[in-house]
Amino acid sequence: MADAAAKKSPVGFWSSSSDRHSPLEDMQGIAAGSMLAALGVTMLSSAHLLIGGTAGLGFLIRYSTGLSFGLVFFALNLPFYWIAYKRLGLAFTIKTFAAVAFTSVLTEFLPGLIAFDHIHPVVAALFGGLLIGTGMLALFRHRASLGGFGILALYLQDRFGWRAGFVQLGLDGVVLALSFFVASPYVILCSILAAVTLNLTLAINHRTDRYIVR
């Protein structure tokens, strides 16, 4: 009886229930996920690697034009917020916007605070992909994402039961195919390794039937 009452009780800013995160927990989860993702992006960028999704498009534009990754990444995600609002709700959209904005800001400042003087591309691919995947996993568990293909992947998982990691892996393949225009075959192979690491992290660890907290 006590457990049932606790589950039905309203969630305050500090307290959560067995099936719902508190606002404070959401804030911490979104901040942590964004920080991990930004560190992963910084690691990949230090090795001049790419990744899939809108982050991959951001890398392609940055390497081709010299524009700021953070600004490009933020702008590329803008069209996806309408889909997020219509399909996944206002709360998801607001939290995703916050995550994308925070990640964009962090990727601008981290290179001046953390320097990788030497990092092997394979190591960057494995650790960078794992960091971004873990960051996205934290965001997914707080009903948020890094926007772009992540929004579409989450929608398809909720609507059809398709694994978000596998959906995003297919979309990432398209982005990585475009990288042949700006990168060497070795860099592309390492970038594919990063994308596989990221998406396997999501596919193995993120299932709605195992983690039901909202």
Side-chain angles (χ1 to χ4, degrees):
M1 295 294 291
D3 290 341
K7 187 173 182 178
K8 293 180 180 179
S9 63
V11 179
F13 184 80
W14 299 98
S15 60
S16 61
S17 67
S18 60
D19 65 345
R20 187 169 297 275
H21 290 294
S22 70
L24 180 63
E25 289 173 338
D26 280 338
M27 290 172 61
Q28 188 278 333
I30 290 170
S34 300
M35 292 168 70
L36 288 170
L39 181 58
V41 167
T42 301
M43 188 173 291
L44 293 179
S45 179
S46 297
H48 303 288
L49 300 184
L50 301 102
I51 198 69
T54 49
L57 292 176
F59 275 130
L60 287 173
I61 294 173
R62 178 195 172 193
Y63 295 152
S64 302
T65 66
L67 292 174
S68 160
F69 171 85
L71 179 61
V72 171
F73 179 65
F74 182 81
L76 286 172
N77 278 290
L78 292 177
F80 290 93
Y81 293 123
W82 177 248
I83 300 174
Y85 172 69
K86 296 296 289 185
R87 298 295 186 181
L88 297 167
L90 180 60
F92 176 90
T93 304
I94 291 174
K95 289 188 283 188
T96 294
F97 181 86
V100 170
F102 191 33
T103 302
S104 298
V105 171
L106 287 174
T107 56
E108 287 298 296
F109 288 99
L110 275 182
L113 301 173
I114 300 175
F116 295 96
D117 295 330
H118 173 73
I119 182 168
H120 194 282
V122 173
V123 173
L126 291 172
F127 282 85
L130 180 62
L131 282 168
I132 297 174
T134 304
M136 292 178 66
L137 182 63
L139 295 174
F140 284 3
R141 290 187 170 181
H142 287 268
R143 301 297 294 171
S145 78
L146 283 179
F149 295 163
I151 291 175
L152 181 58
L154 274 183
Y155 167 68
L156 291 174
Q157 177 168 279
D158 289 345
R159 181 67 176 82
F160 300 107
W162 300 351
R163 293 282 189 89
F166 290 133
V167 171
Q168 187 148 339
L169 182 60
L171 296 172
D172 288 350
V174 176
V175 175
L176 289 173
L178 297 174
S179 65
F180 280 92
F181 294 102
V182 299
S184 68
Y186 179 67
V187 167
I188 293 171
L189 285 174
C190 291
S191 299
I192 292 173
L193 177 61
V196 170
T197 302
L198 186 162
N199 287 290
L200 283 178
T201 300
L202 295 180
I204 293 171
N205 293 283
H206 183 68
R207 284 181 53 175
T208 54
D209 57 339
R210 287 180 179 168
Y211 193 88
I212 62 173
V213 179
R214 298 293 183 178

